[in-house]
Amino acid sequence: MLSYLFIGGSFLLYMGIAVWARAGSTKEFYVAGGGVHPIANGMATAADWMSAASFISLAGLISFIGRDGSAYLMGWTGGYVLLAMLLAPYLRKFGKFTVPDFVGDRYESDTARVIGVACTIIISFTYVAGQMRGVGIVFSRYLHVDINTGVILGMAIVFFYAVLGGMKGITYTQVAQYCVLILAFTVPSFFLSAQVTGHILPQIGLGATLDTGMSVLATLDQLSLDLGFAQYTAGTKSTFDIFCLTVALMCGTAGLPHVIVRFFTVPRVKDARTSAGYALIFIALLYTAIPGVAGFGRVNLIQTLNGPDNAGVEYAAMPAWFANWENAGLIGWNDRNGDGKIQYAAGKAYEGKGNPAYDANDNRGEHGQRLATNAMVGAEFDAAKQPFANEVYVDRDIMVLANPEIAQLPAWVIALVAAGAVAAALSTAAGLLLVISTAIAHDLMKTVINPNITDKQELMYARIAAIVAICIAGYFGINPPGFVAQVVALAFGIASASVFPTLMLGIFYKRMNTQGAIAGMLAGLISTVGYMWYFVFGGGDSADYFMGVSPGGFGAIGMVLHFIVAFVVCSMTPPPSEEMQRIVEDLRIPRGAGAAHDH
Amino acid sequence: MSTVSESAKAYWAENLRIIMFYLAIWFVVSYGAGILFVDQLDAIQFFGFPLGFWFGQQGSIFVFVVLIWAYVYSMNKLDQKHDVHE
């Protein structure tokens, strides 16, 4: 089996690197000794940043929502421009290990530091749960092991190199993981693009003209309209909502602790800037291929499901991937009109959220399809908009994984995609676990609770914290909260409403003081968490959205609130000490970063 | 020590100007072309793409990469000029 070979081989590689790059000191554990080359750091940052969400979910999401997906593409790349110009160089000059370090030292307050620790831990945990789940899905689908066994295997691998190697082990493993994941994403995208359009590059292929004389995007618009969907290149959300979502994702990206910490690992301020540049190049290689993969995948999916005559395909005639993903519970077919053919169009085929609920008995229908307990009865549809009622559920998250199978690409390409998805999930999980363990060992134990512990003890605390964090992450992987997507939106909301603004003010506004910073962080944090909680879990109605902003975009409003509260409180309280103002002036000048680092 | 040297002040002011300039472009291509004026730009075809759609899903990302490298170049020059490089 090629999948075993590819995934097993990549694991051996990661472990080998981990043994080679063991960490001896706290500095090696936290920031890889501070001597990572910008290109290596750029690759590590890209692997750290591109998670299971980027690799597995994003193309699928765009495939289904079309133009509105731009918010994610621009948000998750544009944040690097903010990072390079507004944060990374100055934080590197400040010369500490973590985000709470900066917040606590700059605002001269352990209260601020603890809020920083809390934000870091909430953001990182919510994020890591999704990664473990991604590993589990890939393992269960391609290695035919139980999802739980898959999660435990993933935990063991991450444990090995994150706990042993710390930042040093992680950095060099991430470089390898970047290479695996970028190959695994781009190679199938070249195949897909060449197959559908004749152009190798999906970036160009998406604009190509097909044999029918219509462009790919025009074909997508036509197919979507014919089946009752919204046009692919037209938006359905309000402009203001998309605007806020993009702001929240961009500023959230710039404020994610596990991304920021990567810029502490380079030797000079100059290298922090170039690192961001390399990181974005490496990220853009994947991100600019995503719209192509999404578009071609959509065309292939519709044409395979509805057949060449656009009237449906018999269940028995479907390729093997359909039944495979059906068995994994991520595809469903409900033969509503009883004609034995699969028909895909707009609308739900199952009650509730729209996904099929399969029970443990594995009931099968007359064609061998799985029967769900929430199948919709009857086949009503709006004949003015679509030719038939929708009978199919396809989970968005399977698009990237299923794409090579749908397009009937060679088996090794499918195995490569599986290895890439695992690399994307593991590299991000490791980076997050390190940030969690650093926040606990360095910011809580060493700085706040007991400054007298030795370097060795601190390292031990960091390793223990990493082990505990891995176990908690594994628990969430095995028993996932049913709302992973919303929880990740929460992570970006918090990063954008509390971490990003407080770092920016600390650098660009010398007069910002302790009280202003604490009030601002709390205002951003509480308003954003409260809003999301109310509308996601508290049963809030979307008609009551503040100015029509969905919970995912509220981080932008929270950020504005943060700035206002911080300025008002700051103007009513005394300025920070002369000493601190001098330090802020100093962090704006690049020279001397190397010396400042050895504290 | 709170008196900053004239050179450091000038360095910082120029740094801010550079950042403002690049962020203005950053805003125009992403929020401007990709979101606020996307419908107007979509009327124009660009290599098989509606232009606004292209900016939102491809163009803005290319511009972001160029912006960071242009910023790196400008700042390296500025660091040399004010003799604050490492």
Side-chain angles (χ1 to χ4, degrees):
Chain A
M1 268 297 285
L2 280 169
S3 314
Y4 289 95
L5 200 73
F6 275 53
I7 296 180
S10 64
F11 279 2
L12 280 181
L13 175 68
Y14 307 152
M15 309 238 285
I17 294 172
V19 173
W20 168 70
R22 280 187 315 277
S25 67
T26 45
K27 194 173 168 186
E28 285 190 344
F29 193 88
Y30 294 145
V31 292
V36 179
H37 190 274
I39 294 185
N41 193 46
M43 284 195 188
T45 309
D48 204 348
W49 166 239
M50 291 191 288
S51 60
S54 295
F55 191 93
I56 301 179
S57 305
L58 186 52
L61 183 72
I62 291 170
S63 203
F64 282 75
I65 66 176
R67 190 182 89 186
D68 286 343
S70 304
Y72 296 91
L73 288 163
M74 292 191 291
W76 287 343
T77 51
Y80 277 83
V81 179
L82 297 178
L83 205 50
M85 297 186 193
L86 302 180
L87 301 181
Y90 315 106
L91 294 178
R92 174 63 194 83
K93 176 63 195 294
F94 198 73
K96 291 299 168 79
F97 288 157
T98 66
V99 168
D101 245 352
F102 176 84
V103 174
D105 287 5
R106 163 65 180 84
Y107 296 121
E108 304 170 283
S109 151
D110 274 348
T111 313
R113 192 187 308 271
V114 171
I115 299 174
V117 170
C119 290
T120 302
I121 291 179
I122 301 174
I123 292 170
S124 305
F125 260 125
T126 51
Y127 223 93
V128 83
Q131 308 308 317
M132 284 302 174
R133 192 65 189 163
V135 175
I137 290 179
V138 173
F139 277 23
S140 69
R141 171 66 186 80
Y142 292 99
L143 303 187
H144 308 287
V145 296
D146 181 47
I147 278 203
N148 297 352
T149 318
V151 170
I152 291 168
L153 239 126
M155 279 166 62
I157 302 286
V158 173
F159 172 83
F160 194 78
Y161 66 76
V163 174
L164 259 187
M167 190 56 136
K168 199 175 163 201
I170 287 178
T171 301
Y172 294 104
T173 326
Q174 280 173 337
V175 171
Q177 282 164 333
Y178 175 76
C179 299
V180 172
L181 81 85
I182 196 68
L183 273 177
F185 199 90
T186 49
V187 169
S189 79
F190 294 158
F191 270 103
L192 269 177
S193 182
Q195 198 181 55
V196 175
T197 69
H199 291 281
I200 292 261
L201 292 177
Q203 290 85 344
I204 296 172
L206 190 59
T209 304
L210 299 175
D211 296 339
T212 54
M214 265 161 73
S215 71
V216 179
L217 289 168
T219 310
L220 270 169
D221 281 342
Q222 192 60 49
L223 282 172
S224 304
L225 278 182
D226 287 349
L227 297 173
F229 296 103
Q231 265 193 48
Y232 192 80
T233 59
T236 56
K237 288 189 177 175
S238 82
T239 302
F240 186 65
D241 193 14
I242 290 285
F243 190 94
C244 286
L245 178 60
T246 312
V247 172
L249 294 173
M250 278 198 194
C251 299
T253 300
L256 285 179
H258 71 285
V259 174
I260 291 174
V261 75
R262 292 239 45 106
F263 294 96
F264 295 118
T265 63
V266 294
R268 294 169 302 177
V269 169
K270 195 174 143 182
D271 301 323
R273 298 184 196 126
T274 32
S275 269
Y278 283 119
L280 191 59
I281 290 183
F282 295 135
I283 292 167
L285 286 178
L286 190 140
Y287 268 64
T288 54
I290 284 179
V293 170
F296 307 140
R298 185 85 181 144
V299 173
N300 279 343
L301 179 76
I302 292 176
Q303 290 180 342
T304 310
L305 289 177
N306 286 339
D309 57 353
N310 212 20
V313 174
E314 282 175 33
Y315 180 78
M318 280 306 284
W321 61 264
F322 193 87
N324 284 340
W325 286 105
E326 190 185 11
N327 289 333
L330 298 170
I331 274 185
W333 174 49
N334 168 19
D335 192 10
R336 292 164 71 185
N337 58 8
D339 66 354
K341 286 180 171 178
I342 292 167
Q343 276 127 2
Y344 177 58
K348 291 196 285 193
Y350 297 90
E351 303 285 357
K353 276 178 160 178
N355 57 323
Y358 296 122
D359 61 18
N361 296 328
D362 195 28
N363 294 319
R364 296 282 170 165
E366 55 173 321
H367 305 283
Q369 82 272 29
R370 293 183 80 172
L371 295 180
T373 53
N374 61 342
M376 287 175 87
V377 189
E380 296 81 31
F381 61 93
D382 184 351
K385 285 188 177 157
Q386 57 195 82
F388 35 64
N390 179 36
E391 301 184 336
V392 185
Y393 170 79
V394 178
D395 193 291
R396 290 170 177 180
D397 284 347
I398 70 170
M399 282 306 289
V400 166
L401 297 171
N403 242 335
E405 297 173 275
I406 298 175
Q408 297 169 332
L409 299 184
W412 65 267
V413 177
I414 296 167
L416 185 63
V417 172
V422 174
L426 288 185
S427 58
T428 306
L432 290 163
L433 290 169
L434 189 90
V435 162
I436 295 172
S437 76
T438 315
I440 290 171
H442 182 73
D443 298 318
L444 271 187
M445 292 306 297
K446 173 84 176 174
T447 317
V448 178
I449 296 175
N450 182 5
N452 296 324
I453 56 174
T454 63
D455 206 46
K456 223 173 172 177
Q457 282 172 309
E458 190 186 334
L459 201 56
M460 191 188 68
Y461 281 121
R463 288 192 162 125
I464 294 173
I467 293 170
V468 174
I470 289 176
C471 293
I472 299 176
Y475 174 81
F476 282 126
I478 293 170
N479 306 294
F483 38 81
V484 170
Q486 288 91 327
V487 166
V488 171
L490 185 73
F492 278 94
I494 296 173
S496 136
S498 74
V499 180
F500 176 74
T502 208
L503 295 179
M504 237 194 99
L505 288 171
I507 296 162
F508 288 87
Y509 190 53
K510 211 162 52 175
R511 171 74 171 70
M512 185 48 65
N513 59 11
T514 317
Q515 295 87 340
I518 292 176
M521 277 196 283
L522 287 178
L525 187 66
I526 293 170
S527 65
T528 307
V529 172
Y531 190 84
M532 290 194 175
W533 202 267
Y534 177 69
F535 283 108
V536 176
F537 308 114
D541 182 20
S542 61
D544 299 334
Y545 281 169
F546 175 74
M547 296 171 75
V549 177
S550 51
F554 193 79
I557 312 282
M559 181 171 70
V560 174
L561 219 59
H562 181 144
F563 281 123
I564 294 173
V565 170
F567 279 123
V568 169
V569 173
C570 176
S571 68
M572 297 186 303
T573 43
S577 64
E578 288 277 302
E579 166 70 5
M580 186 44 61
Q581 302 202 28
R582 196 189 57 73
I583 292 176
V584 175
E585 273 154 16
D586 185 60
L587 75 83
R588 296 171 173 182
I589 308 290
R591 180 168 290 170
H597 199 272
D598 291 305
H599 69 264
Chain B
M1 271 292 285
S2 73
T3 48
V4 195
S5 71
E6 285 308 307
S7 167
K9 260 190 194 156
Y11 172 80
W12 185 244
E14 209 162 328
N15 178 16
L16 291 182
R17 262 200 305 280
I18 291 172
I19 293 175
M20 297 284 229
F21 173 73
Y22 289 126
L23 285 187
I25 302 176
W26 165 84
F27 185 86
V28 168
V29 293
S30 53
Y31 295 92
I35 298 174
L36 297 174
F37 298 103
V38 63
D39 291 320
Q40 288 82 335
L41 289 176
D42 273 350
I44 305 165
Q45 284 290 314
F46 177 78
F47 291 104
F49 291 87
L51 188 57
F53 181 86
W54 183 80
F55 266 112
Q57 303 220 336
Q58 306 259 279
S60 53
I61 304 178
F62 295 129
V63 177
F64 294 155
V65 172
V66 174
L67 281 180
I68 294 187
W69 285 102
Y71 172 73
V72 167
Y73 174 79
S74 302
M75 287 309 286
N76 285 347
K77 238 176 51 181
L78 187 67
D79 289 352
Q80 298 277 352
K81 182 176 150 194
H82 288 271
D83 191 33
V84 291
H85 59 284
E86 293 165 88

